[in-house]
Amino acid sequence: MKSITSEATSIRGDLSSNLYYKPRLRRNRINAIFTLLSGLFSFVAILPLILVLAYVIFKGATRLSISLFTMLPPPPGLDGGGIGNAILGTIIVTCIAGMIAIPVGVGGGIYLAEYAREGAFSRFIRFGTNVLSGVPSIITGVFVYDIIVSSRVILGSSYSAIAGGVALSILMLPTVIKTTDEGLKLVPDNLRKGALGVGASKFVTITHITLPMAFTPIATGVVLSVARAAGETAPLIFTALFSYFWPSGSDAFFNPIATLSVLIYNFSTQPYQVQNELAWAASFILVVFILAMNILSRWIGHLTSK
């Protein structure tokens, strides 16, 4: 009996000793090395973002002032001025793109998720949106230039804010469609069946049950698409061009318009210090805006988990 007790005690002692971490073991040393390497590679991956943000803040934040938001860019060789017209132009072009892409994208996502569940046409649309999301933005700009700008199909205007908005809306569409489609798929089918069981129509079920339930992922996709569109440059060079004046009146939508991204492109290559400083200030404002949009999208995404 005593031998059995002593043997059980020794076994418990061996088991308890195995519960403690032993750094000298070969497997633990290898695990520590690979953990260190993975942490180092993760830091290297995020290092460019840190350096870019730090450099843009260092170069652009010092130029912030009230006049930067309220004045026009100065002529070459003169001091002062601001980028107010580019800020306003970016808002206008992005709003035009949103008014085109959001209804079409949400409608397309509703069709894919609610009407054409697993058909051949729905698979083709999903494949097309995946391909469109990977198309270079300059291709979109050239396409809109040939269809709208060079043909002057919109009331005889060539370069215009509307043409820029159309180009950006094409870039926004894949994100809005995919997030709407995936967000509606997360809604349980029991809710749809319950609504249909009490006599609700398909339209009422979508508008009163599935869409409100999927509002958070849809809103997240919309915010991310707006953030992407606001930072694009190549499509706007071919469509909206640039302007040194304020957009005013109804003609503002049918004439060239200034945007932050094109202003950065134009002013960064000029041999004048004032224009270079304005380019850095515009870069800082654009980075802050895109960062704010991404933070907003993450906040909206957290609402789903609550």
Side-chain angles (χ1 to χ4, degrees):
M1 185 69 181
K2 291 182 179 179
S3 61
I4 295 175
T5 305
S6 60
E7 184 177 354
T9 304
S10 63
I11 292 175
R12 285 197 298 269
D14 294 337
L15 291 175
S16 62
S17 63
N18 290 331
L19 295 177
Y20 292 98
Y21 178 74
K22 298 179 180 180
R24 294 184 178 181
L25 291 179
R26 182 174 179 271
R27 64 174 181 270
N28 291 335
R29 291 179 178 178
I30 295 175
N31 179 70
I33 292 173
F34 278 99
T35 301
L36 180 62
L37 286 176
S38 61
L40 178 62
F41 291 152
S42 300
F43 177 75
V44 171
I46 201 67
L47 183 61
L49 174 63
I50 297 175
L51 295 177
V52 168
L53 290 178
Y55 195 70
V56 169
I57 292 173
F58 172 75
K59 297 286 288 187
T62 57
R63 188 65 172 76
L64 293 180
S65 62
I66 299 298
S67 61
L68 185 71
F69 298 89
T70 58
M71 297 182 64
L72 295 173
L78 298 181
D79 296 332
I83 55 174
N85 62 330
I87 296 174
L88 182 58
T90 299
I91 296 174
I92 292 175
V93 173
T94 305
C95 289
I96 294 173
M99 288 188 292
I100 298 173
I102 294 173
V104 175
V106 173
I110 292 173
Y111 174 79
L112 292 176
E114 300 293 339
Y115 292 97
R117 287 295 184 90
E118 297 298 334
F121 183 70
S122 64
R123 290 194 296 270
F124 171 75
I125 297 299
R126 290 189 178 98
F127 175 76
T129 55
N130 291 330
V131 173
L132 184 60
S133 63
V135 172
S137 59
I138 192 170
I139 302 299
T140 303
V142 173
F143 169 75
V144 176
Y145 172 83
D146 189 56
I147 299 298
I148 296 178
V149 177
S150 62
S151 64
R152 299 177 178 266
V153 70
I154 300 179
L155 298 179
S157 62
S158 56
Y159 296 99
S160 63
I162 293 181
V166 171
L168 295 184
S169 67
I170 296 175
L171 300 177
M172 293 173 61
L173 272 176
T175 303
V176 180
I177 292 176
K178 287 192 290 186
T179 53
T180 302
D181 183 20
E182 297 299 328
L184 290 173
K185 286 181 179 178
L186 296 176
V187 179
D189 282 335
N190 292 334
L191 295 177
R192 298 182 179 89
K193 295 176 181 178
L196 296 174
V198 298
S201 64
K202 188 78 170 178
F203 177 79
V204 172
T205 302
I206 293 173
T207 55
H208 288 75
I209 295 178
T210 56
L211 273 182
M213 291 290 294
F215 172 78
T216 299
I218 294 174
T220 302
V222 169
V223 171
L224 289 176
S225 65
V226 170
R228 184 198 175 184
E232 289 293 342
T233 304
L236 298 178
I237 295 176
F238 289 94
T239 55
L241 203 59
F242 191 73
S243 173
Y244 284 87
F245 306 102
W246 290 103
S248 59
S250 59
D251 292 340
F253 299 100
F254 304 101
N255 289 318
I257 192 170
T259 54
L260 287 173
S261 56
V262 179
L263 182 143
I264 295 169
Y265 172 78
N266 291 335
F267 283 12
S268 61
T269 58
Q270 292 187 7
Y272 302 102
Q273 183 178 359
V274 174
Q275 273 68 23
N276 295 155
E277 292 177 354
L278 290 176
W280 281 114
S283 302
F284 174 75
I285 294 173
L286 192 58
V287 166
V288 169
F289 174 76
I290 295 175
L291 182 62
M293 289 292 101
N294 282 272
I295 293 174
L296 178 60
S297 68
R298 291 183 64 87
W299 177 76
I300 294 175
H302 283 311
L303 296 179
T304 307
S305 58
K306 292 185 178 180

